[in-house]
Amino acid sequence: MTSAPNTYENILEIKDLQTSFFTKDLEVKAVDGVSFTIPKGKILGVVGESGSGKSITSLSILRLIEDPGKIVGGEIRFKGENLLDKTEAQMRKIRGNEISMIFQEPMTSLNPTFTVGQQISESYKIHQGLNKKQAKERSIEMLKLVGIPSPEKRVDQYPHELSGGMRQRVMIAMALACDPDLLIADEPTTALDVTIQAQILDLMKDLQERLGMGILLITHDLGVVAETCDYVAVMYAGKVVEFTDAKTLFKSPKHPYTVGLMKSIPPHDHDIEGDLSVIRGSVPSPAEMPKGCRFAPRCPFATDLCRENLPDLITDEEGNQIRCWIYSDEWNGDPEVDVHAETERTT
Amino acid sequence: MFKYIIRRIIQTIPVLIGVSILVFSMMHLVPGDPAQIMAGESAPKEQVENIRERLGLNDPLPVQYLSYIGDALQGDLGNSMRSGRDVTSEIGARFWVTVELAVYSTIVAVFIGLIAGVISATRKYSFADTSLMLIALFGLSMPNFWLGLMLIQWFAIGIDLPSWVPFISDTSWFKPSGWGSFQQVVLPVITLGTGSAAIIARMTRSSMLDVIGQDYIRTARAKGVKERIVVYQHALKNALIPVVTVVGLQFGGLLGGAVLTESVFAVNGMGKLIIDSIKARDFPVVQGTILVVALLFVIVNLIVDITYRYLNKRIDLD
Amino acid sequence: MQKQKELLKVTDLKQYFPIKGGILGRTVNHVKAVDGVSFTIYEGETLSIVGESGCGKSTTGRAILRLDEPTSGEVEFDGNNLLDYSKKEMNKVRKDMQIIFQDPYASINPRHTVRQILTEAMEIQNSVPKQERNDRVLELMQTVGLGPHQADRLPHEFSGGQRQRIGIARALSVDPQLIIADEAVSALDVSIQAQVINLLKKLQRDFKLTYLFISHDLGVVRHISDRIIVMYLGKIVEIADKKSLFNNQMHPYTKALLSAIPSTNTEVKRERIILKGDVPSPIDPPAGCRFHTRCPFATDLCRTEVPELRNGDGMTDGHMAACHYMEEIKNGEHQPTVV
Ligand SMILES: Nc1ncnc2c1ncn2[C@@H]1O[C@H](COP(=O)(O)OP(=O)(O)OP(=O)(O)O)[C@@H](O)[C@H]1O
Ligand SMILES: Nc1ncnc2c1ncn2[C@@H]1O[C@H](COP(=O)(O)OP(=O)(O)OP(=O)(O)O)[C@@H](O)[C@H]1O
Ligand code: SF4
Ligand code: SF4
Ligand SMILES: [Mg+2]
Ligand SMILES: [Mg+2]
């Protein structure tokens, strides 16, 4: 693939993004200072528990946050330009063209009253000015590309006539129609069966290699991240707590939350003795957000420092980032602390 | 789809039979002897008997019913007791007037209702939304005849305007009665259509709000589709599905509402015919008219169902 | 394996759901959701059912409890066939068999406090004398890790994991022998899921419970089960103790299923089997072996002959799979027929 000389290295750079929902009685800081970068042609996985702000981050990138939500701060640099400075008309030219998106629920993300072909064609009509016939031909090609059998027939069918896996393929076809530079996939396989998930991930990786786009893959499944991503950002309560390349993360996770998360997943490829280790308690609600480190109430290593002060995102020698006092000079707990040590295994 | 239409048509038959039995028996249960009424209060006994014999009123009810239906199927609904003319032509003259009134009102109601509903939904909780929904609430709670009378007062009889209002001094431009010209049509159509417009507006708003929150709307936005197209193509087509049903029901309701409206505006339609005939105990006409109205209602429902089916691709077209 | 007491024995269970159609609403066809399933659950063990969406896992669980009336088959509980029971007798045994669902919120009354929810369950079964019920409620709450101060709160005041604990407490309130857990931890975040799994295991130890654990998550299943059933399109394709299933799976579908699960272990490069196509409809399931439309090893025999569930050469006691060629595939004599 030939690419023009570019002045930017990272297809996407997010700096200190803040998105809040202004409800009647409080400001819910759904995304609270998120930063990460996606190098050109790489796959970044964003993981985190439900409500940690993954979807809101991705919707913020396309500026699709709806009332009462608002992006209140930060920068979103796409190909070097801040998307938050763009007008709505400029954004529309980017959406579905340079950045496109796939959503979690293939069942509800397609419009039930339009045919599959009409929905894919729309992108071609909007962004490439093709006429109806040309757009339909291109749609059929796309359907073929994503591995849908007899695409000439499928193109005129309605979403309800397709299985979940096929609908997700249609979503991918639609997203890739205009050859985007960045694909955002928000839990693209969560609603699918494992054998179908394997098909879809395979397809996405294959297309990524062929088309060379960057991918932001949101998921809560660490296995999916391990198998598909180059980099990983772990989110907790609206913040990125760890950002590294995937290999490092799975070999030696650093943040106590990441460590806890990995230990609490029962593996399917080997047995573990006794109980699973757990992270005690549950994710804090927006109304009771701890003022220091957000993980402090659940962290086995928390000290007063953690409970009172929010740690910064520290970048180490290898360029990996972590938000935890243990890795700072100010750390006042056990200097020899080992985050991988056996933690509690309670119910 | 074709099979579905045939099936729906077949399904209407029992409904029509039911309605005809109901109408027929109602007319025979109300007090008062039709033969006596026809002959006049002071007519001699033999003459009443004669009429009764001629009309077959002495036969058992099922026999009367069957012969009535047999005739009806051939287009013969009997003769009016008042005018002596046959009921079919008595209705025929007025049929189109009522249909016109209902159709115009429906069109106006759908047009206004949809626009108001969409505006409200896309500007949720804004000033426009609040005021439109307030107006809709008014429209809903206002009795039909009262609105009609008010409109006549203001725009047909006219009210004196203070001298500082420019250009118009008198508001009596519309006609208070009759049917045909634009000046005659406007007021009854508004009277009849207001309630439906209000219901359609509210229905459209809630349906639209529901649809706009759906994932596929987000998908459309993420594709870079213009907001106007998101609303009027992606959202509206889905939002219309429940609205179509409401419109159908409204049309039925409008046929009923036409009775009052026609009376208020002295429009010579089926509604007025029914009222006049009830007053005069002209049973054949009442029966015939109700039957025709019921038939109309069933046909409209059929059309609505088919449209619904067409819009809602998710229902399997077996 | 030592000789254990059979608690529940299911024989040739079938559950066909009628599909109505035509003008008169006649039954035009059937969804063969469960089609001839047989297995035994021993006292004190955890038997799991795994498989893809729609393969009939939940339907099997519901049919055992007669929440849906099974089409045919036998369900023996403690030696009695449940399908012969009257409604009243059935209600009595329900005390011994409880079910926990995926969505705890949907299955508990949102306007009742935890105390009311738990007391109500005891009332229905009349298992605990009235004056002791209150103490029992607090005891149960403690058992599942909730505090006594939470007894008078409403379900929405709890987090997902806590609500699932309420669901478990309710199931425990009548001292059941068998608990059917249908995707009981699937909706929970991993960190919470681990808490609930540990709880379920602890309760099993403490109260000698037997579990029928329905899930699509093979990691969870591996951790919690003694034996595992793999279902495909309404039929059992493989049943084995945990070790055999994970180390010596015989059925091509089981192999594909296991290889499809993404793993966090990036060190080992695994060979992945990516199946083509989707699961066919259970209305007109494929003839012969139901997996033949997606199986890389399928032959004409597979397309006509239904393979029976059998214990083949080199398989441990109690390990059974339904494939014509399982031994030949294992020793390499039978190679994939499609590439
Ligand atoms: N419309 C809204 N009003 C108020 N709060 C909201 C709204 N939408 C989202 N939030 C809050 O924003 C936070 C982040 O939500 P988000 O959808 O990004 O989570 P997520 O990480 O994608 O979780 P999941 O894995 O469940 O999809 C949540 O705590 C949620 O409560
Ligand atoms: N009441 C019912 N009427 C008709 N069909 C049904 C009914 N219940 C289930 N089915 C069908 O039976 C099949 C098996 O369903 P079941 O719910 O048992 O699947 P499952 O294995 O539990 O799947 P999941 O993992 O999605 O929960 C499906 O095809 C389903 O559509
Ligand atoms: S900052 Fe403190 S509380 Fe937060 S994760 Fe690190 S050690 Fe735990
Ligand atoms: S019987 Fe045939 S189709 Fe079925 S699993 Fe075995 S090889 Fe595959
Ligand atoms: Mg999300
Ligand atoms: Mg299920």
Side-chain angles (χ1 to χ4, degrees):
Chain A
M1 171 162 275
T2 56
S3 69
N6 284 314
T7 50
Y8 55 90
E9 267 174 50
N10 299 322
I11 191 76
L12 188 74
E13 274 181 51
I14 296 188
K15 284 190 199 136
D16 199 27
L17 178 69
Q18 293 162 345
T19 304
S20 293
F21 288 87
F22 295 88
T23 61
K24 261 185 232 99
D25 32 50
L26 79 160
E27 176 186 354
V28 177
K29 296 185 174 175
V31 174
D32 191 9
V34 161
S35 309
F36 56 73
T37 52
I38 308 180
K40 263 192 289 186
K42 296 286 181 196
I43 307 182
L44 168 75
V46 176
V47 287
E49 287 178 272
S50 183
S52 56
K54 305 183 295 294
S55 299
I56 301 300
T57 303
S58 64
L59 289 172
S60 299
I61 297 171
L62 278 178
R63 301 234 324 254
L64 286 174
I65 299 292
E66 283 165 50
D67 272 349
K70 241 182 117 169
I71 300 177
V72 288
E75 266 180 38
I76 301 172
R77 293 205 168 271
F78 174 67
K79 294 188 185 174
E81 289 173 46
N82 189 356
L83 293 183
L84 299 184
D85 295 337
K86 304 262 180 205
T87 63
E88 182 54 31
Q90 287 171 322
M91 276 313 292
R92 270 205 306 273
K93 287 218 180 77
I94 292 175
R95 290 182 199 134
N97 189 21
E98 295 179 67
I99 307 179
S100 45
M101 193 154 177
I102 325 174
F103 300 98
Q104 173 169 354
E105 285 289 335
M107 302 292 160
T108 55
S109 296
L110 288 166
N111 194 324
T113 54
F114 291 96
T115 65
V116 163
Q118 285 169 332
Q119 299 189 52
I120 304 175
S121 293
E122 198 170 21
S123 296
Y124 288 118
K125 290 188 200 159
I126 299 171
H127 297 298
Q128 301 183 351
L130 299 190
N131 67 28
K132 204 169 160 186
K133 195 164 154 270
Q134 294 165 324
K136 187 169 171 182
E137 275 165 18
R138 295 295 303 275
S139 306
I140 295 174
E141 279 169 34
M142 279 317 292
L143 289 177
K144 200 182 287 168
L145 183 73
V146 297
I148 290 188
S150 46
E152 308 80 19
K153 258 192 249 139
R154 295 291 181 186
V155 76
D156 290 322
Q157 290 191 318
Y158 289 89
H160 75 266
E161 298 172 74
L162 309 179
S163 69
M166 282 217 262
R167 280 181 229 192
Q168 201 58 299
R169 281 170 194 266
V170 169
M171 280 300 290
I172 294 175
M174 203 159 86
L176 298 186
C178 295
D179 204 355
D181 298 305
L182 176 66
L183 174 68
I184 301 174
D186 188 354
E187 312 249 10
T189 57
T190 305
L192 305 174
D193 279 321
V194 271
T195 62
I196 309 296
Q197 162 169 291
Q199 292 173 359
I200 298 289
L201 290 178
D202 215 42
L203 172 72
M204 283 180 58
K205 270 206 300 208
D206 177 50
L207 292 175
Q208 195 266 341
E209 274 163 31
R210 275 203 265 170
L211 308 174
M213 69 238 169
I215 298 183
L216 172 64
L217 178 71
I218 294 174
T219 175
H220 62 266
D221 187 335
L222 284 169
V224 169
V225 174
E227 300 217 338
T228 32
C229 300
D230 301 305
Y231 297 91
V232 191
V234 181
M235 284 187 71
Y236 186 79
K239 290 192 180 295
V240 171
V241 294
E242 186 160 4
F243 175 78
T244 59
D245 62 284
K247 270 223 177 69
T248 312
L249 187 89
F250 288 103
K251 208 157 49 186
S252 58
K254 290 202 175 64
H255 196 278
Y257 172 65
T258 319
V259 174
L261 202 59
M262 285 190 184
K263 278 198 194 155
S264 58
I265 304 168
H268 70 90
D269 45 11
H270 63 269
D271 290 311
I272 46 168
E273 292 299 314
D275 277 341
L276 292 171
S277 64
V278 301
I279 304 176
R280 66 182 164 193
S282 54
V283 183
S285 77
E288 308 163 342
M289 203 49 87
K291 82 172 172 205
C293 171
R294 261 109 211 247
F295 189 54
R298 306 177 72 189
C299 180
F301 311 108
T303 65
D304 302 345
L305 177 70
C306 310
R307 281 182 277 270
E308 289 303 317
N309 305 288
L310 187 72
D312 288 328
L313 202 60
I314 309 163
T315 310
D316 71 8
E317 314 87 65
E318 288 118 55
N320 298 329
Q321 294 179 313
I322 190 148
R323 191 188 286 280
C324 171
W325 283 121
I326 293 181
Y327 302 93
S328 75
D329 299 333
E330 286 100 298
W331 174 242
N332 62 352
D334 176 4
E336 303 283 285
V337 64
D338 174 13
V339 291
H340 298 277
E342 281 296 303
T343 48
E344 47 203 317
R345 287 193 176 185
T346 57
T347 50
Chain B
M1 193 76 187
F2 182 71
K3 254 167 94 186
Y4 172 74
I5 295 174
I6 301 288
R7 203 168 78 207
R8 281 295 283 113
I9 291 176
I10 294 172
Q11 279 169 353
T12 58
I13 293 171
V15 176
L16 286 175
I17 294 176
V19 169
S20 61
I21 292 178
L22 207 67
V23 172
F24 185 81
S25 40
M26 240 161 30
M27 282 300 133
H28 286 265
L29 290 176
V30 291
D33 178 358
Q36 182 80 55
I37 293 164
M38 276 185 82
E41 286 299 331
S42 54
K45 256 218 155 79
E46 290 89 76
Q47 199 183 334
V48 177
E49 263 320 306
N50 249 342
I51 292 175
R52 187 170 286 155
E53 194 60 41
R54 188 156 51 85
L55 292 180
L57 291 176
N58 288 329
D59 295 338
L61 278 183
V63 175
Q64 286 190 39
Y65 171 75
L66 284 180
S67 78
Y68 177 75
I69 287 297
D71 289 346
L73 284 177
Q74 290 159 38
D76 177 7
L77 292 168
N79 291 327
S80 162
M81 293 178 176
R82 260 191 316 165
S83 64
R85 290 172 50 194
D86 67 303
V87 174
T88 318
S89 54
E90 194 82 46
I91 295 172
R94 287 151 159 132
F95 178 78
W96 292 112
V97 172
T98 301
V99 169
E100 264 176 40
L101 176 58
V103 168
Y104 291 163
S105 305
T106 306
I107 292 173
V108 169
V110 167
F111 193 70
I112 295 177
L114 279 186
I115 291 182
V118 170
I119 291 177
S120 272
T122 47
R123 300 189 175 76
K124 196 168 72 159
Y125 303 136
S126 69
F127 178 72
D129 176 27
T130 322
S131 13
L132 279 172
M133 285 305 117
L134 212 64
I135 296 171
L137 198 64
F138 260 118
L140 263 182
S141 34
M142 228 168 348
N144 223 321
F145 66 90
W146 182 81
L147 176 65
L149 292 175
M150 285 299 127
L151 289 176
I152 290 177
Q153 176 64 47
W154 290 337
F155 299 110
I157 296 170
I159 40 174
D160 294 328
L161 290 174
S163 53
W164 48 263
V165 177
F167 303 120
I168 26 172
S169 56
D170 172 24
T171 60
S172 62
W173 189 69
F174 295 107
K175 297 263 169 67
S177 70
W179 187 256
S181 73
F182 183 71
Q183 281 158 289
Q184 288 172 321
V185 170
V186 171
L187 294 187
V189 163
I190 293 179
T191 306
L192 192 51
T194 302
S196 301
I199 290 177
I200 293 171
R202 285 159 59 111
M203 187 70 207
T204 307
R205 179 180 186 267
S206 75
S207 171
M208 225 20 211
L209 281 179
D210 185 42
V211 168
I212 280 185
Q214 296 291 319
D215 291 350
Y216 52 80
I217 296 302
R218 197 180 49 188
T219 307
R221 291 198 178 116
K223 257 194 288 188
V225 177
K226 288 207 180 77
E227 192 59 26
R228 192 168 41 83
I229 296 179
V230 170
V231 171
Y232 287 97
Q233 283 183 11
H234 290 258
L236 194 57
K237 196 166 172 195
N238 287 282
L240 277 183
I241 294 168
V243 174
V244 166
T245 324
V246 171
V247 171
L249 289 174
Q250 285 306 306
F251 187 82
L254 287 186
L255 286 175
V259 176
L260 278 175
T261 312
E262 284 176 9
S263 295
V264 172
F265 287 93
V267 174
N268 223 348
M270 285 194 290
K272 191 155 171 294
L273 182 64
I274 292 178
I275 297 228
D276 292 350
S277 308
I278 288 175
K279 278 193 219 149
R281 307 242 156 167
D282 193 344
F283 297 118
V285 177
V286 177
Q287 256 173 29
T289 320
I290 293 183
L291 215 55
V292 169
V293 171
L295 183 66
L296 199 60
F297 190 85
V298 166
I299 292 173
V300 169
N301 256 316
L302 193 68
I303 296 172
V304 167
D305 277 4
I306 292 167
T307 319
Y308 182 83
R309 228 5 215 230
Y310 168 75
L311 277 176
N312 196 350
K313 293 290 173 355
R314 275 164 297 190
I315 300 179
D316 191 22
L317 305 171
D318 56 323
Chain C
M1 221 193 320
Q2 83 224 53
K3 197 81 187 138
Q4 285 165 298
K5 186 183 159 213
E6 289 178 3
L7 184 65
L8 185 89
K9 187 167 177 189
V10 176
T11 316
D12 203 20
L13 184 70
K14 287 187 182 159
Q15 180 64 278
Y16 292 0
F17 294 107
I19 305 170
K20 308 270 186 212
I23 298 174
L24 303 169
R26 276 172 305 129
T27 301
V28 291
N29 213 334
H30 287 96
V31 180
K32 303 189 175 82
V34 172
D35 201 5
V37 158
S38 308
F39 59 87
T40 306
I41 308 180
Y42 299 101
E43 193 165 45
E45 76 164 345
T46 301
L47 176 65
S48 292
I49 307 182
V50 295
E52 292 178 276
S53 181
C55 69
K57 305 183 294 291
S58 303
T59 307
T60 305
R62 295 176 60 85
I64 290 171
L65 289 179
R66 283 175 68 190
L67 295 176
D68 300 316
E69 217 43 63
T71 311
S72 71
E74 264 177 41
V75 178
E76 263 175 57
F77 183 73
D78 249 353
N80 303 305
N81 187 0
L82 296 183
L83 304 191
D84 295 339
Y85 274 17
S86 67
K87 270 239 153 64
K88 217 167 126 204
E89 289 171 307
M90 194 60 213
N91 277 339
K92 238 187 229 137
V93 273
R94 287 235 169 86
K95 176 194 134 356
D96 293 324
M97 301 194 290
Q98 289 289 307
I99 187 163
I100 315 170
F101 296 100
Q102 166 166 14
D103 183 0
Y105 205 57
S107 56
I108 50 187
N109 187 335
R111 277 183 290 280
H112 283 183
T113 63
V114 178
R115 191 191 301 279
Q116 286 168 318
I117 290 166
L118 296 181
T119 322
E120 188 191 54
M122 291 180 230
E123 260 162 34
I124 292 172
Q125 295 295 350
N126 209 1
S127 55
V128 180
K130 219 174 194 145
Q131 51 289 7
E132 290 169 26
R133 281 183 195 154
N134 202 22
D135 291 340
R136 182 89 177 108
V137 165
L138 297 181
E139 191 188 310
L140 278 168
M141 288 187 66
Q142 200 186 359
T143 311
V144 299
L146 296 172
H149 61 284
Q150 291 166 316
D152 294 305
R153 294 203 191 153
L154 294 169
H156 75 259
E157 297 174 65
F158 292 92
S159 71
Q162 288 173 323
R163 270 184 228 142
Q164 197 55 288
R165 286 166 194 264
I166 300 172
I168 294 172
R170 183 179 59 173
L172 286 179
S173 65
V174 295
D175 277 328
Q177 297 183 50
L178 174 70
I179 290 186
I180 299 180
D182 189 355
E183 307 276 6
V185 298
S186 305
L188 305 174
D189 271 324
V190 277
S191 73
I192 309 299
Q193 179 179 293
Q195 297 171 4
V196 176
I197 291 172
N198 286 352
L199 172 65
L200 286 172
K201 285 197 94 165
K202 178 174 178 295
L203 295 173
Q204 182 167 44
R205 285 194 301 269
D206 293 355
F207 301 108
K208 302 222 166 29
L209 291 171
T210 308
Y211 290 138
L212 178 61
F213 193 85
I214 296 170
S215 174
H216 63 269
D217 185 330
L218 278 143
V220 172
V221 163
R222 176 168 199 155
H223 183 69
I224 204 164
S225 324
D226 299 305
R227 289 189 307 132
I228 296 160
I229 291 173
V230 182
M231 280 183 77
Y232 186 79
L233 263 184
K235 279 192 177 300
I236 295 181
V237 295
E238 188 155 4
I239 176 167
D241 59 284
K242 168 162 73 180
K243 206 164 144 220
S244 306
L245 193 97
F246 281 97
N247 299 334
N248 184 30
Q249 64 288 75
M250 296 299 284
H251 198 279
Y253 176 67
T254 314
K255 285 201 180 97
L257 192 66
L258 286 171
S259 85
I261 311 163
S263 157
T264 52
N265 190 345
T266 45
E267 308 288 281
V268 195
K269 257 278 166 266
R270 293 177 310 140
E271 181 213 4
R272 292 189 97 178
I273 306 165
I274 301 220
L275 291 177
K276 295 173 310 221
D278 296 316
V279 183
S281 153
I283 297 170
D284 286 306
C289 172
R290 293 195 174 181
F291 185 52
H292 82 242
T293 54
R294 300 171 82 197
C295 180
F297 298 97
T299 65
D300 285 341
L301 176 69
C302 307
R303 283 180 271 273
T304 49
E305 201 92 355
V306 182
E308 62 176 312
L309 202 57
R310 63 195 168 89
N311 178 270
D313 299 341
M315 287 159 72
T316 51
D317 226 18
H319 181 176
M320 295 197 284
C323 169
H324 294 306
Y325 297 108
M326 54 195 187
E327 291 98 344
E328 290 84 349
I329 293 171
K330 178 105 198 162
N331 63 25
E333 274 169 32
H334 184 71
Q335 293 294 321
T337 49
V338 281
V339 213

